[in-house]
Amino acid sequence: MSDAYRWIGKSLQTIHRANWYRSVQSIDSYGGPTVTINGRSLINLASNDYLGLAADPRLVTQVKTAVERYGTGSTGSLLLSGHRPLHRELEQAIAQLKGTEDAIVFSSGYLANLGTITALVNSRDLILSDEYNHSSLRNGAALSGAKTITYAHGDLRDLSAKLAAARAAYRRCLILTDGVFGMDGDVCDLPQLLGLGDRFEAMVMIDEAHSVGVLGRTGAGCAEFFGCQDRPLVQMGTLSKALASLGGYVAGSAELVDFLRNRAASWIYTTGLSLADSAAALGAISLLIQEPERLSQLRQNVQYLIERIDHLLSSKATLLQTKSLNLRRLPSDSAIVCLQVKDATTVLSLAKHLREQGIFAAAVRPPTVPVSRLRLSLMATHTSAHIDQFIYTLSSYLKSV
Ligand SMILES: *Cc1c(COP(=O)(O)O)cnc(C)c1O
């Protein structure tokens, strides 16, 4: 028998030994503010469905109508036979929400990043990438063949120094950043990034997976949040989080979008987004606009959670435990709030305690992040009772260690 595959088992053992092993967690219900897992109901602090739209009956009806009309699959790539009027309607709705000339829809956010980055730059070019950027941005950069330099997270001085040192040796330059960093919850400094883009003749591409439907007055994302809608910018985002569907997009100038339709391999050589997903995303964008109270409720929930965590972490009763676990709330500008702890063992024991007490939250560990943390994501449909229950359970954990 061949030994060619023996390394896989060994590699798995190493993953287990480091406490890095992960497996799927199946949920038997809609991933709403509460979920059912193995017959038990849990408060769900691990969903990306920030606006609570993924089971909205109105979206379900629109999806049924689309499937009845167009069938289950889009049956081809978009430039051949996969395109339907619904795809164009969705692109126009995204462009309108974002205030851009046009938008292009990919079959996932991951594919949007791979296709866009590889279309914009190649081996003659330079990429500057935030060290905490999402896997899809980092893999897009690698696949493009451009020289990629990583800058320290959110460190504009480091970025500026690296641009000054390297920019002149390359043809085009692309600065890549998450809008909201998914494993931290903080927002990038878009105005400063655009300023550096101007100074060094660099394109700026922002990944709004966790900011579209969350940041900005109407939920249009980072550019709206910072008042930068009129600046040239490559705005990528996903339909799979606040927009309750599947798929990714790039919004920007008509020229940029037209160029991507001709050059983005992950758009050209893949099957068009299903009509069910297209209808769901289109419906979610309408609801985001028609029901702005969802956005304000989400923000109130985040504010309330942050206040309660800070109050608990500064209370005398748990000060010693907070210190010994290095427990710290990371800064957040989004629907994601993280509690950093000293190591992987601690975060696993905390998540286990929460789980036993009816709360589902993600323990995020290296290599996904440099320091282990409990990651909490909020939804517009959480109630203050859900948040109170989480705080009560966190407090009982602290008292038990
Ligand atoms: C989720 C996510 C993606 C991938 O989007 P999908 O549509 O799920 O493929 C890309 N970038 C970031 C920052 C994400 O959080």
Side-chain angles (χ1 to χ4, degrees):
M1 205 183 84
S2 161
D3 278 350
Y5 302 93
R6 222 177 40 197
W7 67 271
I8 297 175
K10 284 193 182 159
S11 197
L12 266 173
Q13 282 169 13
T14 308
I15 294 170
H16 276 291
R17 268 200 303 274
N19 246 343
W20 286 0
Y21 183 76
R22 303 165 66 175
S23 57
V24 299
Q25 170 68 70
S26 214
I27 292 176
D28 315 320
S29 61
Y30 154 57
T34 60
V35 288
T36 311
I37 300 178
N38 300 329
R40 267 185 79 210
S41 173
L42 303 166
I43 295 170
N44 182 12
L45 293 171
S47 173
N48 294 325
D49 182 19
Y50 300 121
L51 297 170
L53 287 172
D56 191 287
R58 293 164 293 180
L59 296 190
V60 173
T61 304
Q62 285 169 40
V63 166
K64 281 184 186 160
T65 308
V67 171
E68 278 162 8
R69 173 148 185 207
Y70 295 111
T72 51
S74 71
T75 72
S77 64
L78 292 161
L79 290 176
L80 278 174
S81 58
H83 196 271
R84 303 290 179 279
L86 202 54
H87 289 121
R88 188 63 195 142
E89 263 182 77
L90 175 58
E91 289 175 341
Q92 285 168 335
I94 293 167
Q96 196 169 13
L97 172 71
K98 307 287 297 181
T100 55
E101 287 175 2
D102 206 351
I104 174 173
V105 167
F106 291 74
S107 298
S108 81
Y110 209 109
L111 288 173
N113 277 336
L114 296 186
T116 304
I117 297 167
T118 52
L120 294 178
V121 288
N122 64 33
S123 57
R124 296 164 65 190
D125 306 317
L126 175 67
I127 288 177
L128 274 296
S129 177
D130 188 290
E131 65 174 327
Y132 286 3
N133 274 346
H134 188 260
S135 155
S136 52
L137 289 174
R138 289 186 276 118
N139 278 332
L143 193 60
S144 76
K147 165 73 179 172
T148 301
I149 300 176
T150 300
Y151 60 92
H153 174 53
D155 188 339
L156 279 303
R157 282 175 56 184
D158 187 39
L159 171 59
S160 173
K162 284 173 171 162
L163 277 166
R167 174 68 185 97
Y170 296 88
R171 181 183 58 169
R172 301 177 197 140
C173 181
L174 176 64
I175 299 171
L176 288 180
T177 185
D178 278 19
V180 162
F181 289 83
M183 293 300 143
D184 296 75
D186 56 335
V187 69
C188 73
D189 188 340
L190 184 58
Q192 297 274 359
L193 291 169
L194 287 170
L196 287 177
D198 281 347
R199 212 172 111 205
F200 291 96
E201 202 183 317
M203 301 175 279
V204 178
M205 176 170 170
I206 179 172
D207 178 337
E208 303 236 48
H210 297 286
S211 43
V212 70
V214 175
L215 283 190
R217 191 179 58 81
T218 66
C222 285
E224 184 182 51
F225 180 72
F226 287 111
C228 301
Q229 288 110 311
D230 298 333
R231 307 288 300 275
L233 174 64
V234 183
Q235 302 186 56
M236 172 274 166
T238 178
L239 307 175
S240 65
K241 290 170 181 155
L243 300 179
S245 179
L246 185 67
Y249 68 82
V250 171
S253 71
E255 255 182 18
L256 168 73
V257 169
D258 207 22
F259 174 76
L260 292 176
R261 286 199 187 100
N262 286 278
R263 280 286 183 274
S266 69
W267 184 83
I268 299 168
Y269 300 105
T270 197
T271 300
L273 187 68
S274 85
L275 283 304
D277 292 317
S278 307
L282 189 58
I285 292 172
S286 302
L287 290 180
L288 168 65
I289 294 160
Q290 284 161 31
E291 300 177 351
E293 60 275 14
R294 285 178 183 274
L295 207 49
S296 37
Q297 190 58 53
L298 175 62
R299 286 178 188 154
Q300 273 176 38
N301 287 349
V302 172
Q303 211 42 48
Y304 183 62
L305 175 69
I306 286 177
E307 278 164 22
R308 297 241 29 204
I309 289 175
D310 289 354
H311 185 257
L312 176 67
L313 296 192
S314 61
S315 92
K316 285 213 174 73
T318 48
L319 209 57
L320 266 174
Q321 292 87 336
T322 302
K323 280 219 168 105
S324 79
L325 300 180
N326 272 344
L327 188 59
R328 193 162 78 83
R329 177 180 68 77
L330 301 180
S332 166
D333 309 286
S334 64
I336 300 160
V337 179
C338 288
L339 287 175
Q340 192 172 284
V341 294
K342 63 176 179 184
D343 54 27
T345 315
T346 305
V347 80
L348 286 175
S349 107
L350 172 57
K352 182 163 170 280
H353 175 88
L354 292 167
R355 181 66 179 272
E356 285 162 2
Q357 304 299 318
I359 288 166
F360 181 46
V364 190
R365 294 162 278 160
T368 308
V369 290
V371 185
S372 293
R373 69 205 54 183
L374 189 74
R375 178 181 182 274
L376 310 166
S377 57
L378 284 170
M379 302 173 63
T381 41
H382 280 123
T383 63
S384 52
H386 292 141
I387 295 168
D388 291 341
Q389 186 60 30
F390 165 74
I391 293 292
Y392 173 82
T393 313
L394 176 61
S395 151
S396 75
Y397 175 79
L398 290 176
K399 285 170 187 156
S400 76
V401 294

